[in-house]
Amino acid sequence: MHGWRTPARWARTGRWLLVPIAVLDWFSLVPQPVFVAAFALAVVGLVGIGAALVVRMLAGRRGTMAALGVVLLLGGLAMFGLDPFPGSVPFLDPWWPSVVTQPQHVASAYWQLAALGVVLTGFGTLATLLVAAFAGKPGTSTR
């Protein structure tokens, strides 16, 4: 009944919410509103996966959580800047069908989506740590 409280379920659900954008990235003639809705659904999935990691990290040490948050945030920003997939491959352009997106564009889109997930998780970790620092330890009062 209270299955929504388990972070593992958030991670599993978030993983399934990434499927529509993963499928739609391969087709270039998809209407824009459908693509935007699938991307929004993927962002919700990434937030669920990130939230599961943040909740898991709350059981550990705060210093470790802060270090992981900084590494995730900086690593995600670096991933945005270091996209390893080229914009176009000259020998593919003449014969590739226009209805199917070229593989390098799809790989680049997956890379950017993964970078967004890493940045969101790092930001969520640091924001949760900040809230936990102001809230204090559970069970103690500040008189």
Side-chain angles (χ1 to χ4, degrees):
M1 178 156 172
H2 297 287
W4 61 271
R5 292 183 182 177
T6 60
R9 181 165 291 191
W10 298 350
R12 280 193 304 271
T13 303
R15 188 175 53 207
W16 282 107
L17 292 177
L18 295 175
V19 170
I21 195 73
V23 171
L24 289 178
D25 273 340
W26 282 101
F27 302 102
S28 59
L29 297 179
V30 177
Q32 188 67 22
V34 173
F35 190 78
V36 169
F39 181 76
L41 198 62
V43 170
V44 170
L46 290 173
V47 168
I49 293 168
L53 176 68
V54 169
V55 168
R56 176 98 176 175
M57 286 295 297
L58 281 174
R61 303 171 114 190
R62 289 189 179 178
T64 305
M65 187 175 175
L68 181 66
V70 169
V71 167
L72 285 171
L73 191 59
L74 294 176
L77 292 174
M79 283 178 69
F80 272 124
L82 300 173
D83 191 355
F85 303 102
S88 69
V89 177
F91 65 86
L92 281 179
D93 289 335
W95 62 271
W96 194 264
S98 62
V99 73
V100 179
T101 307
Q102 292 186 9
Q104 72 273 10
H105 295 294
V106 175
S108 180
Y110 289 169
W111 182 270
Q112 296 295 324
L113 191 63
L116 178 64
V118 172
V119 167
L120 287 175
T121 303
F123 181 76
T125 302
L126 292 175
T128 302
L129 183 63
L130 185 65
V131 169
F134 283 123
K137 292 189 180 242
T140 61
S141 63
T142 55
R143 289 189 202 181

